[in-house]
Amino acid sequence: MLNFAKGRYCARTAQSAVDLEAAQRLRALAFRGPGAEDLDHDDFDAACTHVLIEDMRSGALVCCFRLLHLGSGAEIGRSYSAQFYELSGLSDFDGPMVEMGRFCIHPDRCDPDILRVAWGAMTTHVDREGVEMLFGCSSFHGTEAREYYDAFALLRDRHIAPNRWLPRVKAPAVFRFAARLRRKPDLKRAQAKMPPLLRTYLLM
Protein backbone atom coordinates (compact mmCIF):
# COMPACT_ATOMS: atom_id res chain seq x y z
CA MET A 1 0.00 0.00 0.00
CA LEU A 2 1.34 3.40 -1.00
CA ASN A 3 1.39 6.24 1.52
CA PHE A 4 3.39 9.35 0.65
CA ALA A 5 3.04 12.91 1.96
CA LYS A 6 4.66 16.30 1.42
CA GLY A 7 3.40 19.65 2.65
CA ARG A 8 -0.39 19.74 2.65
CA TYR A 9 -0.84 16.85 0.20
CA CYS A 10 -0.72 13.09 0.62
CA ALA A 11 -0.81 10.25 -1.89
CA ARG A 12 -2.34 6.89 -1.19
CA THR A 13 -3.54 3.80 -3.01
CA ALA A 14 -7.29 3.51 -3.58
CA GLN A 15 -8.71 0.93 -1.17
CA SER A 16 -12.40 0.74 -1.99
CA ALA A 17 -15.07 1.15 -4.63
CA VAL A 18 -15.77 4.58 -3.13
CA ASP A 19 -12.14 5.61 -3.72
CA LEU A 20 -12.28 4.37 -7.31
CA GLU A 21 -15.53 6.21 -7.98
CA ALA A 22 -14.01 9.43 -6.63
CA ALA A 23 -11.11 9.04 -9.06
CA GLN A 24 -13.47 8.34 -11.96
CA ARG A 25 -15.52 11.41 -11.07
CA LEU A 26 -12.40 13.62 -11.02
CA ARG A 27 -11.30 12.16 -14.36
CA ALA A 28 -14.68 13.01 -15.89
CA LEU A 29 -14.37 16.59 -14.67
CA ALA A 30 -10.80 16.97 -15.88
CA PHE A 31 -11.24 15.30 -19.27
CA ARG A 32 -14.79 16.36 -20.19
CA GLY A 33 -15.21 19.60 -18.28
CA PRO A 34 -17.77 20.97 -15.79
CA GLY A 35 -21.20 19.44 -16.03
CA ALA A 36 -19.95 15.98 -16.93
CA GLU A 37 -22.32 13.68 -15.08
CA ASP A 38 -20.98 10.26 -16.04
CA LEU A 39 -17.92 8.69 -14.48
CA ASP A 40 -14.82 8.29 -16.62
CA HIS A 41 -14.24 4.54 -16.59
CA ASP A 42 -13.13 1.66 -18.79
CA ASP A 43 -12.29 -2.02 -18.54
CA PHE A 44 -8.69 -1.28 -17.55
CA ASP A 45 -9.72 0.21 -14.21
CA ALA A 46 -10.28 -3.22 -12.69
CA ALA A 47 -6.71 -4.32 -13.48
CA CYS A 48 -4.98 -1.15 -12.28
CA THR A 49 -3.63 0.26 -9.04
CA HIS A 50 -5.18 3.70 -8.52
CA VAL A 51 -3.28 6.48 -6.76
CA LEU A 52 -5.16 9.37 -5.12
CA ILE A 53 -3.59 12.68 -4.08
CA GLU A 54 -5.62 14.48 -1.45
CA ASP A 55 -5.49 17.84 0.28
CA MET A 56 -4.96 16.93 3.95
CA ARG A 57 -6.54 20.20 5.11
CA SER A 58 -9.86 19.65 3.38
CA GLY A 59 -9.81 15.98 2.41
CA ALA A 60 -10.50 16.95 -1.21
CA LEU A 61 -9.23 14.74 -4.03
CA VAL A 62 -6.98 16.97 -6.17
CA CYS A 63 -5.19 14.50 -8.46
CA CYS A 64 -5.26 10.87 -9.48
CA PHE A 65 -3.65 8.41 -11.84
CA ARG A 66 -3.54 4.67 -12.37
CA LEU A 67 -0.76 2.12 -12.78
CA LEU A 68 -1.01 -1.11 -14.77
CA HIS A 69 1.64 -3.67 -13.82
CA LEU A 70 3.12 -5.98 -16.46
CA GLY A 71 5.51 -8.75 -15.50
CA SER A 72 7.53 -8.16 -18.69
CA GLY A 73 7.14 -7.04 -22.28
CA ALA A 74 5.52 -10.38 -23.06
CA GLU A 75 2.35 -8.87 -21.55
CA ILE A 76 2.47 -5.63 -23.56
CA GLY A 77 -0.73 -6.56 -25.39
CA ARG A 78 -2.67 -6.08 -22.11
CA SER A 79 -1.79 -2.39 -21.96
CA TYR A 80 -4.07 0.55 -22.74
CA SER A 81 -1.46 1.92 -25.15
CA ALA A 82 -1.46 -1.27 -27.20
CA GLN A 83 -4.99 -0.44 -28.38
CA PHE A 84 -3.59 2.48 -30.36
CA TYR A 85 0.08 1.73 -31.05
CA GLU A 86 2.02 -1.21 -32.47
CA LEU A 87 4.17 -2.07 -29.45
CA SER A 88 5.46 -5.52 -30.37
CA GLY A 89 9.01 -4.15 -30.22
CA LEU A 90 8.64 -4.14 -26.44
CA SER A 91 7.62 -7.78 -26.25
CA ASP A 92 11.22 -8.89 -25.63
CA PHE A 93 11.76 -6.48 -22.74
CA ASP A 94 12.38 -8.87 -19.86
CA GLY A 95 11.93 -6.64 -16.81
CA PRO A 96 8.85 -5.49 -14.88
CA MET A 97 6.95 -2.66 -16.55
CA VAL A 98 4.28 -0.19 -15.47
CA GLU A 99 1.91 1.77 -17.69
CA MET A 100 0.88 5.08 -16.14
CA GLY A 101 -2.45 6.48 -17.30
CA ARG A 102 -5.51 8.68 -16.76
CA PHE A 103 -3.36 11.26 -14.98
CA CYS A 104 -5.31 14.38 -14.09
CA ILE A 105 -5.32 17.30 -11.66
CA HIS A 106 -8.49 19.06 -10.55
CA PRO A 107 -8.97 21.98 -12.99
CA ASP A 108 -9.44 24.44 -10.13
CA ARG A 109 -6.05 23.60 -8.61
CA CYS A 110 -2.75 25.08 -9.80
CA ASP A 111 -0.42 24.31 -6.89
CA PRO A 112 2.83 22.81 -8.28
CA ASP A 113 3.20 20.80 -5.06
CA ILE A 114 0.37 18.56 -6.28
CA LEU A 115 2.49 17.45 -9.23
CA ARG A 116 5.55 17.07 -7.00
CA VAL A 117 3.65 14.76 -4.66
CA ALA A 118 2.27 12.78 -7.58
CA TRP A 119 5.76 12.23 -9.03
CA GLY A 120 7.13 11.44 -5.58
CA ALA A 121 4.46 8.81 -5.08
CA MET A 122 5.03 7.36 -8.53
CA THR A 123 8.82 7.23 -7.97
CA THR A 124 8.35 5.57 -4.58
CA HIS A 125 6.10 2.95 -6.15
CA VAL A 126 8.48 2.28 -9.06
CA ASP A 127 11.46 1.91 -6.71
CA ARG A 128 9.58 -0.30 -4.29
CA GLU A 129 8.30 -2.64 -7.01
CA GLY A 130 11.56 -2.80 -8.98
CA VAL A 131 9.95 -1.43 -12.14
CA GLU A 132 12.41 -1.21 -15.04
CA MET A 133 10.27 0.61 -17.60
CA LEU A 134 7.54 3.22 -17.16
CA PHE A 135 5.42 4.12 -20.20
CA GLY A 136 2.10 5.67 -21.18
CA CYS A 137 0.20 7.90 -23.60
CA SER A 138 -0.01 11.67 -23.77
CA SER A 139 -2.40 13.68 -25.95
CA PHE A 140 -2.07 16.95 -27.82
CA HIS A 141 -5.17 19.14 -27.71
CA GLY A 142 -7.23 19.31 -30.89
CA THR A 143 -6.40 18.14 -34.41
CA GLU A 144 -4.58 21.13 -35.92
CA ALA A 145 -1.10 19.67 -36.38
CA ARG A 146 0.47 22.95 -37.52
CA GLU A 147 0.17 24.28 -33.97
CA TYR A 148 2.56 21.58 -32.80
CA TYR A 149 5.22 21.38 -35.51
CA ASP A 150 7.92 22.73 -33.20
CA ALA A 151 6.93 20.35 -30.41
CA PHE A 152 6.91 17.40 -32.82
CA ALA A 153 10.31 18.42 -34.19
CA LEU A 154 11.75 18.65 -30.68
CA LEU A 155 10.45 15.17 -29.89
CA ARG A 156 11.99 13.90 -33.14
CA ASP A 157 15.38 15.49 -32.44
CA ARG A 158 15.76 14.63 -28.75
CA HIS A 159 13.34 11.98 -27.58
CA ILE A 160 12.92 9.18 -30.13
CA ALA A 161 13.05 5.75 -28.51
CA PRO A 162 15.77 3.24 -29.43
CA ASN A 163 14.75 1.63 -32.71
CA ARG A 164 14.26 -1.82 -31.15
CA TRP A 165 11.58 -0.42 -28.81
CA LEU A 166 10.10 2.24 -31.08
CA PRO A 167 6.27 2.30 -31.22
CA ARG A 168 4.89 1.81 -34.73
CA VAL A 169 1.71 2.98 -36.43
CA LYS A 170 -1.37 0.88 -35.72
CA ALA A 171 -4.26 3.23 -36.48
CA PRO A 172 -5.82 2.77 -39.95
CA ALA A 173 -5.69 6.53 -40.61
CA VAL A 174 -2.96 8.85 -39.36
CA PHE A 175 -1.68 12.31 -40.22
CA ARG A 176 1.73 11.88 -41.86
CA PHE A 177 3.46 14.98 -40.53
CA ALA A 178 7.09 13.75 -40.69
CA ALA A 179 7.74 15.38 -44.06
CA ARG A 180 6.72 18.75 -42.60
CA LEU A 181 9.34 18.70 -39.86
CA ARG A 182 12.45 19.40 -41.93
CA ARG A 183 13.58 22.23 -39.70
CA LYS A 184 15.10 22.84 -36.32
CA PRO A 185 12.45 23.47 -33.66
CA ASP A 186 11.95 26.80 -31.97
CA LEU A 187 12.66 25.61 -28.41
CA LYS A 188 10.55 28.26 -26.69
CA ARG A 189 7.53 27.57 -28.90
CA ALA A 190 8.06 23.82 -28.65
CA GLN A 191 8.02 23.89 -24.85
CA ALA A 192 4.99 26.20 -24.80
CA LYS A 193 3.02 23.83 -27.04
CA MET A 194 4.10 20.61 -25.37
CA PRO A 195 1.30 19.08 -23.26
CA PRO A 196 2.12 19.71 -19.57
CA LEU A 197 2.09 16.02 -18.70
CA LEU A 198 4.43 15.13 -21.55
CA ARG A 199 6.70 18.08 -20.72
CA THR A 200 6.98 16.75 -17.17
CA TYR A 201 7.80 13.24 -18.41
CA LEU A 202 10.59 14.65 -20.55
CA LEU A 203 12.02 16.77 -17.73
CA MET A 204 12.29 13.60 -15.64
Side-chain angles (χ1 to χ4, degrees):
M1 177 178 174
L2 178 67
N3 198 331
F4 180 88
K6 181 177 176 61
R8 66 186 287 182
Y9 302 105
C10 67
R12 65 179 179 86
T13 305
Q15 296 296 305
S16 67
V18 172
D19 284 344
L20 176 56
E21 183 174 315
Q24 293 170 335
R25 187 174 297 109
L26 176 58
R27 283 157 37 179
L29 174 64
F31 299 143
R32 300 176 194 163
E37 297 181 0
D38 294 337
L39 302 177
D40 176 80
H41 62 89
D42 61 25
D43 292 340
F44 291 90
D45 279 336
C48 291
T49 297
H50 298 266
V51 179
L52 313 180
I53 291 85
E54 297 167 321
D55 186 330
M56 291 187 287
R57 297 180 187 176
S58 65
L61 179 63
V62 297
C63 175
C64 64
F65 58 92
R66 68 186 185 188
L67 302 170
L68 178 65
H69 291 257
L70 305 176
S72 71
E75 301 179 32
I76 195 66
R78 293 202 299 115
S79 69
Y80 175 89
S81 302
Q83 297 179 102
F84 308 105
Y85 302 95
E86 169 50 63
L87 301 179
S88 59
L90 290 170
S91 61
D92 291 332
F93 189 85
D94 61 3
M97 309 170 75
V98 161
E99 181 181 41
M100 185 176 186
R102 308 312 282 168
F103 186 100
C104 64
I105 295 176
H106 194 290
D108 292 339
R109 301 284 186 136
C110 57
D111 188 342
D113 279 347
I114 296 173
L115 190 57
R116 294 187 183 106
V117 170
W119 291 132
M122 182 272 295
T123 302
T124 298
H125 183 87
V126 164
D127 288 345
R128 182 183 299 167
E129 300 297 324
V131 175
E132 296 181 17
M133 180 177 285
L134 181 71
F135 69 100
C137 299
S138 183
S139 300
F140 287 80
H141 182 70
T143 58
E144 181 49 66
R146 186 177 300 278
E147 289 292 311
Y148 303 110
Y149 282 172
D150 289 289
F152 292 155
L154 181 63
L155 292 172
R156 174 204 62 197
D157 286 355
R158 298 188 180 182
H159 301 289
I160 291 292
N163 192 60
R164 68 187 184 279
W165 294 337
L166 194 64
R168 307 294 179 182
V169 172
K170 185 174 185 177
V174 297
F175 179 69
R176 302 280 180 179
F177 58 79
R180 315 238 182 133
L181 300 182
R182 294 172 181 165
R183 61 176 179 181
K184 289 292 182 182
D186 180 305
L187 296 182
K188 185 175 181 180
R189 181 173 173 80
Q191 291 292 347
K193 290 295 185 177
M194 199 77 71
L197 180 60
L198 181 55
R199 184 167 60 240
T200 303
Y201 286 153
L202 300 178
L203 287 173
M204 293 174 68

PDB file of all heavy atoms in Angstrom, residues 1-28:
ATOM      1  N   MET A   1       0.844  -1.200   0.000  1.00  0.00           N
ATOM      2  CA  MET A   1       0.000   0.000   0.000  1.00  0.00           C
ATOM      3  C   MET A   1       0.878   1.249   0.000  1.00  0.00           C
ATOM      4  O   MET A   1       1.815   1.357   0.776  1.00  0.00           O
ATOM      5  CB  MET A   1      -0.917   0.003   1.231  1.00  0.00           C
ATOM      6  CG  MET A   1      -1.786   1.246   1.358  1.00  0.00           C
ATOM      7  SD  MET A   1      -2.887   1.148   2.790  1.00  0.00           S
ATOM      8  CE  MET A   1      -3.598   2.785   2.757  1.00  0.00           C
ATOM      9  N   LEU A   2       0.566   2.170  -0.869  1.00  0.00           N
ATOM     10  CA  LEU A   2       1.336   3.402  -0.997  1.00  0.00           C
ATOM     11  C   LEU A   2       0.818   4.451  -0.022  1.00  0.00           C
ATOM     12  O   LEU A   2      -0.376   4.637   0.137  1.00  0.00           O
ATOM     13  CB  LEU A   2       1.228   3.928  -2.425  1.00  0.00           C
ATOM     14  CG  LEU A   2       1.933   5.253  -2.731  1.00  0.00           C
ATOM     15  CD1 LEU A   2       3.441   5.077  -2.628  1.00  0.00           C
ATOM     16  CD2 LEU A   2       1.554   5.731  -4.129  1.00  0.00           C
ATOM     17  N   ASN A   3       1.744   5.129   0.639  1.00  0.00           N
ATOM     18  CA  ASN A   3       1.391   6.242   1.515  1.00  0.00           C
ATOM     19  C   ASN A   3       2.545   7.227   1.479  1.00  0.00           C
ATOM     20  O   ASN A   3       3.627   6.942   1.986  1.00  0.00           O
ATOM     21  CB  ASN A   3       1.132   5.750   2.943  1.00  0.00           C
ATOM     22  CG  ASN A   3       0.348   6.777   3.751  1.00  0.00           C
ATOM     23  OD1 ASN A   3       0.451   7.969   3.503  1.00  0.00           O
ATOM     24  ND2 ASN A   3      -0.426   6.295   4.709  1.00  0.00           N
ATOM     25  N   PHE A   4       2.323   8.382   0.865  1.00  0.00           N
ATOM     26  CA  PHE A   4       3.392   9.354   0.647  1.00  0.00           C
ATOM     27  C   PHE A   4       2.823  10.740   0.887  1.00  0.00           C
ATOM     28  O   PHE A   4       1.738  11.067   0.397  1.00  0.00           O
ATOM     29  CB  PHE A   4       3.924   9.236  -0.790  1.00  0.00           C
ATOM     30  CG  PHE A   4       5.026  10.180  -1.135  1.00  0.00           C
ATOM     31  CD1 PHE A   4       6.350   9.844  -0.905  1.00  0.00           C
ATOM     32  CD2 PHE A   4       4.746  11.417  -1.694  1.00  0.00           C
ATOM     33  CE1 PHE A   4       7.380  10.725  -1.241  1.00  0.00           C
ATOM     34  CE2 PHE A   4       5.760  12.303  -2.029  1.00  0.00           C
ATOM     35  CZ  PHE A   4       7.082  11.955  -1.804  1.00  0.00           C
ATOM     36  N   ALA A   5       3.545  11.581   1.643  1.00  0.00           N
ATOM     37  CA  ALA A   5       3.036  12.913   1.962  1.00  0.00           C
ATOM     38  C   ALA A   5       4.144  13.951   1.860  1.00  0.00           C
ATOM     39  O   ALA A   5       5.318  13.665   2.133  1.00  0.00           O
ATOM     40  CB  ALA A   5       2.432  12.936   3.360  1.00  0.00           C
ATOM     41  N   LYS A   6       3.743  15.162   1.460  1.00  0.00           N
ATOM     42  CA  LYS A   6       4.656  16.299   1.421  1.00  0.00           C
ATOM     43  C   LYS A   6       3.815  17.562   1.522  1.00  0.00           C
ATOM     44  O   LYS A   6       2.864  17.741   0.767  1.00  0.00           O
ATOM     45  CB  LYS A   6       5.478  16.308   0.132  1.00  0.00           C
ATOM     46  CG  LYS A   6       6.481  17.465   0.042  1.00  0.00           C
ATOM     47  CD  LYS A   6       7.300  17.365  -1.223  1.00  0.00           C
ATOM     48  CE  LYS A   6       8.235  18.571  -1.373  1.00  0.00           C
ATOM     49  NZ  LYS A   6       9.200  18.666  -0.262  1.00  0.00           N
ATOM     50  N   GLY A   7       4.170  18.431   2.474  1.00  0.00           N
ATOM     51  CA  GLY A   7       3.404  19.654   2.648  1.00  0.00           C
ATOM     52  C   GLY A   7       1.967  19.341   3.027  1.00  0.00           C
ATOM     53  O   GLY A   7       1.706  18.533   3.908  1.00  0.00           O
ATOM     54  N   ARG A   8       1.030  19.940   2.321  1.00  0.00           N
ATOM     55  CA  ARG A   8      -0.385  19.744   2.645  1.00  0.00           C
ATOM     56  C   ARG A   8      -1.038  18.596   1.893  1.00  0.00           C
ATOM     57  O   ARG A   8      -2.234  18.339   2.065  1.00  0.00           O
ATOM     58  CB  ARG A   8      -1.165  21.034   2.391  1.00  0.00           C
ATOM     59  CG  ARG A   8      -1.232  21.441   0.923  1.00  0.00           C
ATOM     60  CD  ARG A   8      -1.888  22.794   0.738  1.00  0.00           C
ATOM     61  NE  ARG A   8      -3.329  22.742   0.953  1.00  0.00           N
ATOM     62  CZ  ARG A   8      -4.134  23.796   0.814  1.00  0.00           C
ATOM     63  NH1 ARG A   8      -3.615  24.977   0.504  1.00  0.00           N
ATOM     64  NH2 ARG A   8      -5.432  23.683   1.000  1.00  0.00           N
ATOM     65  N   TYR A   9      -0.268  17.895   1.037  1.00  0.00           N
ATOM     66  CA  TYR A   9      -0.842  16.846   0.202  1.00  0.00           C
ATOM     67  C   TYR A   9      -0.295  15.466   0.563  1.00  0.00           C
ATOM     68  O   TYR A   9       0.859  15.313   0.953  1.00  0.00           O
ATOM     69  CB  TYR A   9      -0.560  17.131  -1.273  1.00  0.00           C
ATOM     70  CG  TYR A   9      -1.087  18.462  -1.725  1.00  0.00           C
ATOM     71  CD1 TYR A   9      -0.231  19.537  -1.946  1.00  0.00           C
ATOM     72  CD2 TYR A   9      -2.457  18.665  -1.897  1.00  0.00           C
ATOM     73  CE1 TYR A   9      -0.716  20.778  -2.338  1.00  0.00           C
ATOM     74  CE2 TYR A   9      -2.957  19.898  -2.285  1.00  0.00           C
ATOM     75  CZ  TYR A   9      -2.081  20.956  -2.507  1.00  0.00           C
ATOM     76  OH  TYR A   9      -2.569  22.174  -2.888  1.00  0.00           O
ATOM     77  N   CYS A  10      -1.147  14.474   0.403  1.00  0.00           N
ATOM     78  CA  CYS A  10      -0.719  13.095   0.621  1.00  0.00           C
ATOM     79  C   CYS A  10      -1.215  12.237  -0.538  1.00  0.00           C
ATOM     80  O   CYS A  10      -2.241  12.529  -1.159  1.00  0.00           O
ATOM     81  CB  CYS A  10      -1.247  12.549   1.946  1.00  0.00           C
ATOM     82  SG  CYS A  10      -3.042  12.350   2.011  1.00  0.00           S
ATOM     83  N   ALA A  11      -0.445  11.209  -0.843  1.00  0.00           N
ATOM     84  CA  ALA A  11      -0.811  10.254  -1.891  1.00  0.00           C
ATOM     85  C   ALA A  11      -1.031   8.901  -1.247  1.00  0.00           C
ATOM     86  O   ALA A  11      -0.283   8.494  -0.358  1.00  0.00           O
ATOM     87  CB  ALA A  11       0.290  10.167  -2.941  1.00  0.00           C
ATOM     88  N   ARG A  12      -2.066   8.222  -1.705  1.00  0.00           N
ATOM     89  CA  ARG A  12      -2.338   6.887  -1.188  1.00  0.00           C
ATOM     90  C   ARG A  12      -2.962   6.039  -2.278  1.00  0.00           C
ATOM     91  O   ARG A  12      -3.489   6.551  -3.282  1.00  0.00           O
ATOM     92  CB  ARG A  12      -3.270   6.956   0.030  1.00  0.00           C
ATOM     93  CG  ARG A  12      -4.668   7.469  -0.280  1.00  0.00           C
ATOM     94  CD  ARG A  12      -5.538   7.490   0.979  1.00  0.00           C
ATOM     95  NE  ARG A  12      -6.874   7.999   0.715  1.00  0.00           N
ATOM     96  CZ  ARG A  12      -7.899   7.251   0.289  1.00  0.00           C
ATOM     97  NH1 ARG A  12      -7.729   5.943   0.076  1.00  0.00           N
ATOM     98  NH2 ARG A  12      -9.085   7.789   0.085  1.00  0.00           N
ATOM     99  N   THR A  13      -2.922   4.738  -2.076  1.00  0.00           N
ATOM    100  CA  THR A  13      -3.542   3.804  -3.010  1.00  0.00           C
ATOM    101  C   THR A  13      -5.037   3.694  -2.719  1.00  0.00           C
ATOM    102  O   THR A  13      -5.440   3.629  -1.556  1.00  0.00           O
ATOM    103  CB  THR A  13      -2.896   2.415  -2.866  1.00  0.00           C
ATOM    104  OG1 THR A  13      -1.483   2.541  -3.032  1.00  0.00           O
ATOM    105  CG2 THR A  13      -3.441   1.456  -3.906  1.00  0.00           C
ATOM    106  N   ALA A  14      -5.849   3.705  -3.756  1.00  0.00           N
ATOM    107  CA  ALA A  14      -7.292   3.511  -3.578  1.00  0.00           C
ATOM    108  C   ALA A  14      -7.549   2.156  -2.922  1.00  0.00           C
ATOM    109  O   ALA A  14      -6.944   1.152  -3.297  1.00  0.00           O
ATOM    110  CB  ALA A  14      -7.999   3.593  -4.921  1.00  0.00           C
ATOM    111  N   GLN A  15      -8.454   2.143  -1.942  1.00  0.00           N
ATOM    112  CA  GLN A  15      -8.709   0.934  -1.171  1.00  0.00           C
ATOM    113  C   GLN A  15     -10.133   0.409  -1.288  1.00  0.00           C
ATOM    114  O   GLN A  15     -10.450  -0.642  -0.743  1.00  0.00           O
ATOM    115  CB  GLN A  15      -8.401   1.212   0.316  1.00  0.00           C
ATOM    116  CG  GLN A  15      -6.952   1.533   0.601  1.00  0.00           C
ATOM    117  CD  GLN A  15      -6.041   0.359   0.286  1.00  0.00           C
ATOM    118  OE1 GLN A  15      -6.239  -0.744   0.787  1.00  0.00           O
ATOM    119  NE2 GLN A  15      -5.041   0.590  -0.556  1.00  0.00           N
ATOM    120  N   SER A  16     -10.992   1.131  -1.969  1.00  0.00           N
ATOM    121  CA  SER A  16     -12.402   0.739  -1.993  1.00  0.00           C
ATOM    122  C   SER A  16     -13.067   1.194  -3.280  1.00  0.00           C
ATOM    123  O   SER A  16     -12.512   1.984  -4.053  1.00  0.00           O
ATOM    124  CB  SER A  16     -13.136   1.374  -0.799  1.00  0.00           C
ATOM    125  OG  SER A  16     -13.184   2.791  -0.951  1.00  0.00           O
ATOM    126  N   ALA A  17     -14.275   0.718  -3.478  1.00  0.00           N
ATOM    127  CA  ALA A  17     -15.070   1.147  -4.627  1.00  0.00           C
ATOM    128  C   ALA A  17     -15.378   2.636  -4.541  1.00  0.00           C
ATOM    129  O   ALA A  17     -15.473   3.324  -5.566  1.00  0.00           O
ATOM    130  CB  ALA A  17     -16.361   0.331  -4.694  1.00  0.00           C
ATOM    131  N   VAL A  18     -15.515   3.145  -3.323  1.00  0.00           N
ATOM    132  CA  VAL A  18     -15.771   4.581  -3.130  1.00  0.00           C
ATOM    133  C   VAL A  18     -14.570   5.395  -3.608  1.00  0.00           C
ATOM    134  O   VAL A  18     -14.715   6.424  -4.267  1.00  0.00           O
ATOM    135  CB  VAL A  18     -16.093   4.877  -1.656  1.00  0.00           C
ATOM    136  CG1 VAL A  18     -16.175   6.386  -1.418  1.00  0.00           C
ATOM    137  CG2 VAL A  18     -17.403   4.206  -1.257  1.00  0.00           C
ATOM    138  N   ASP A  19     -13.355   4.937  -3.261  1.00  0.00           N
ATOM    139  CA  ASP A  19     -12.142   5.606  -3.723  1.00  0.00           C
ATOM    140  C   ASP A  19     -12.072   5.612  -5.242  1.00  0.00           C
ATOM    141  O   ASP A  19     -11.757   6.634  -5.868  1.00  0.00           O
ATOM    142  CB  ASP A  19     -10.902   4.900  -3.175  1.00  0.00           C
ATOM    143  CG  ASP A  19     -10.641   5.195  -1.711  1.00  0.00           C
ATOM    144  OD1 ASP A  19     -11.210   6.154  -1.177  1.00  0.00           O
ATOM    145  OD2 ASP A  19      -9.842   4.447  -1.106  1.00  0.00           O
ATOM    146  N   LEU A  20     -12.343   4.474  -5.861  1.00  0.00           N
ATOM    147  CA  LEU A  20     -12.277   4.372  -7.314  1.00  0.00           C
ATOM    148  C   LEU A  20     -13.304   5.288  -7.963  1.00  0.00           C
ATOM    149  O   LEU A  20     -13.014   5.977  -8.948  1.00  0.00           O
ATOM    150  CB  LEU A  20     -12.496   2.927  -7.763  1.00  0.00           C
ATOM    151  CG  LEU A  20     -12.535   2.689  -9.278  1.00  0.00           C
ATOM    152  CD1 LEU A  20     -11.268   3.208  -9.950  1.00  0.00           C
ATOM    153  CD2 LEU A  20     -12.743   1.212  -9.584  1.00  0.00           C
ATOM    154  N   GLU A  21     -14.497   5.339  -7.416  1.00  0.00           N
ATOM    155  CA  GLU A  21     -15.533   6.209  -7.984  1.00  0.00           C
ATOM    156  C   GLU A  21     -15.131   7.673  -7.879  1.00  0.00           C
ATOM    157  O   GLU A  21     -15.389   8.465  -8.790  1.00  0.00           O
ATOM    158  CB  GLU A  21     -16.862   5.974  -7.269  1.00  0.00           C
ATOM    159  CG  GLU A  21     -17.999   6.792  -7.869  1.00  0.00           C
ATOM    160  CD  GLU A  21     -19.345   6.453  -7.260  1.00  0.00           C
ATOM    161  OE1 GLU A  21     -19.637   5.250  -7.107  1.00  0.00           O
ATOM    162  OE2 GLU A  21     -20.095   7.400  -6.923  1.00  0.00           O
ATOM    163  N   ALA A  22     -14.476   8.050  -6.784  1.00  0.00           N
ATOM    164  CA  ALA A  22     -14.011   9.431  -6.630  1.00  0.00           C
ATOM    165  C   ALA A  22     -12.991   9.762  -7.718  1.00  0.00           C
ATOM    166  O   ALA A  22     -13.013  10.859  -8.304  1.00  0.00           O
ATOM    167  CB  ALA A  22     -13.416   9.631  -5.245  1.00  0.00           C
ATOM    168  N   ALA A  23     -12.093   8.817  -7.998  1.00  0.00           N
ATOM    169  CA  ALA A  23     -11.110   9.036  -9.063  1.00  0.00           C
ATOM    170  C   ALA A  23     -11.801   9.151 -10.413  1.00  0.00           C
ATOM    171  O   ALA A  23     -11.469  10.029 -11.229  1.00  0.00           O
ATOM    172  CB  ALA A  23     -10.095   7.895  -9.069  1.00  0.00           C
ATOM    173  N   GLN A  24     -12.758   8.300 -10.676  1.00  0.00           N
ATOM    174  CA  GLN A  24     -13.472   8.339 -11.958  1.00  0.00           C
ATOM    175  C   GLN A  24     -14.272   9.624 -12.116  1.00  0.00           C
ATOM    176  O   GLN A  24     -14.415  10.146 -13.224  1.00  0.00           O
ATOM    177  CB  GLN A  24     -14.384   7.117 -12.058  1.00  0.00           C
ATOM    178  CG  GLN A  24     -13.624   5.802 -12.168  1.00  0.00           C
ATOM    179  CD  GLN A  24     -14.510   4.586 -12.014  1.00  0.00           C
ATOM    180  OE1 GLN A  24     -15.579   4.658 -11.388  1.00  0.00           O
ATOM    181  NE2 GLN A  24     -14.094   3.462 -12.566  1.00  0.00           N
ATOM    182  N   ARG A  25     -14.778  10.151 -11.019  1.00  0.00           N
ATOM    183  CA  ARG A  25     -15.515  11.414 -11.075  1.00  0.00           C
ATOM    184  C   ARG A  25     -14.567  12.577 -11.379  1.00  0.00           C
ATOM    185  O   ARG A  25     -14.894  13.477 -12.167  1.00  0.00           O
ATOM    186  CB  ARG A  25     -16.241  11.641  -9.752  1.00  0.00           C
ATOM    187  CG  ARG A  25     -17.176  12.864  -9.772  1.00  0.00           C
ATOM    188  CD  ARG A  25     -17.979  12.988  -8.502  1.00  0.00           C
ATOM    189  NE  ARG A  25     -18.869  11.847  -8.320  1.00  0.00           N
ATOM    190  CZ  ARG A  25     -18.709  10.901  -7.399  1.00  0.00           C
ATOM    191  NH1 ARG A  25     -17.690  10.970  -6.562  1.00  0.00           N
ATOM    192  NH2 ARG A  25     -19.552   9.900  -7.312  1.00  0.00           N
ATOM    193  N   LEU A  26     -13.384  12.583 -10.740  1.00  0.00           N
ATOM    194  CA  LEU A  26     -12.397  13.623 -11.023  1.00  0.00           C
ATOM    195  C   LEU A  26     -11.924  13.533 -12.474  1.00  0.00           C
ATOM    196  O   LEU A  26     -11.775  14.560 -13.143  1.00  0.00           O
ATOM    197  CB  LEU A  26     -11.208  13.495 -10.069  1.00  0.00           C
ATOM    198  CG  LEU A  26     -10.050  14.468 -10.327  1.00  0.00           C
ATOM    199  CD1 LEU A  26     -10.519  15.919 -10.264  1.00  0.00           C
ATOM    200  CD2 LEU A  26      -8.913  14.228  -9.322  1.00  0.00           C
ATOM    201  N   ARG A  27     -11.708  12.338 -12.975  1.00  0.00           N
ATOM    202  CA  ARG A  27     -11.303  12.162 -14.360  1.00  0.00           C
ATOM    203  C   ARG A  27     -12.352  12.722 -15.316  1.00  0.00           C
ATOM    204  O   ARG A  27     -12.025  13.389 -16.309  1.00  0.00           O
ATOM    205  CB  ARG A  27     -11.040  10.684 -14.643  1.00  0.00           C
ATOM    206  CG  ARG A  27      -9.712  10.199 -14.105  1.00  0.00           C
ATOM    207  CD  ARG A  27      -9.606   8.709 -13.847  1.00  0.00           C
ATOM    208  NE  ARG A  27     -10.290   7.844 -14.788  1.00  0.00           N
ATOM    209  CZ  ARG A  27     -10.278   6.512 -14.699  1.00  0.00           C
ATOM    210  NH1 ARG A  27      -9.591   5.910 -13.721  1.00  0.00           N
ATOM    211  NH2 ARG A  27     -10.924   5.770 -15.573  1.00  0.00           N
ATOM    212  N   ALA A  28     -13.612  12.480 -15.040  1.00  0.00           N
ATOM    213  CA  ALA A  28     -14.681  13.005 -15.895  1.00  0.00           C
ATOM    214  C   ALA A  28     -14.650  14.532 -15.913  1.00  0.00           C
ATOM    215  O   ALA A  28     -14.790  15.163 -16.971  1.00  0.00           O
ATOM    216  CB  ALA A  28     -16.037  12.504 -15.409  1.00  0.00           C
TER     217      ALA A  28
END
